Amino acid sequence: MSDAPALYCLHASCVRWLGRGVLLRGPPGRGKSDLLLRLLEAGADLLADDLVELEVRNGRLTARPKAEPGLVELRGQGLYRLPALSNQPVHLLVDCRQRLVERLPELVLEHLLGVALPRIALACREASALARLRTVLLASPVATGSP
């Protein structure tokens, strides 16, 4: 039996912003790269663009680049190298969507490698996506169920 940690690789981008690890995932064309660039402009630290490897360290989900660290693809401009983190605990999972349908969704937890993470849906190409993400990271959610 191996003691090697379980690894999970996914097509996603990951940054550290406002002291928290944020994992952006979604099918091509949903705005992951667009939001990633806006996060970097807002002071986020890059961990990975496009391929992220996840593992559990000390009970926390931790991300690291799967491909060469610091490479960012700018569609129409090519590949560019930026400074990048080597690993980062993940605190929030963002599902990039074309549009949001549900007005007041319940808090969703998703388990990755046995670790529960809060998950939100976000229309990542919308002008308000960065402000919405900042609010989710800094504010406390209010329960929307019956009192």
Side-chain angles (χ1 to χ4, degrees):
M1 196 162 169
S2 173
D3 289 332
L7 298 175
Y8 179 65
C9 184
L10 70 156
H11 284 281
S13 297
C14 189
V15 297
R16 178 177 59 207
W17 191 45
L18 304 173
R20 308 245 175 66
V22 179
L23 192 63
L24 308 172
R25 73 173 182 188
R30 292 296 196 263
K32 292 183 303 291
S33 295
D34 183 74
L35 183 56
L36 174 72
L37 290 173
R38 286 188 277 153
L39 282 162
L40 295 174
E41 184 69 19
D45 297 310
L46 175 68
L47 179 104
D49 178 32
D50 196 42
L51 283 175
V52 176
E53 194 168 68
L54 301 174
E55 70 177 323
V56 177
R57 290 186 187 173
N58 300 320
R60 298 189 73 173
L61 193 66
T62 300
R64 66 179 181 215
K66 173 69 175 169
E68 197 172 333
L71 286 184
V72 174
E73 178 186 351
L74 300 179
R75 188 168 291 166
Q77 282 80 47
L79 291 174
Y80 289 83
R81 184 174 311 283
L82 296 172
L85 303 169
S86 60
N87 63 71
Q88 170 64 44
V90 178
H91 300 92
L92 180 66
L93 177 59
V94 175
D95 276 335
C96 295
R97 305 273 172 86
Q98 290 278 149
R99 65 183 180 277
L100 299 179
V101 178
E102 198 169 349
R103 186 167 172 225
L104 295 172
E106 295 294 322
L107 175 66
V108 175
L109 294 177
E110 182 167 328
H111 289 81
L112 292 174
L113 296 174
V115 177
L117 278 180
R119 182 186 78 203
I120 65 165
L122 190 63
C124 293
R125 290 185 185 275
E126 286 186 0
S128 64
L130 197 63
R132 289 171 182 262
L133 183 54
R134 180 184 294 115
T135 301
V136 168
L137 290 173
L138 296 178
S140 299
V142 175
T144 56
S146 302

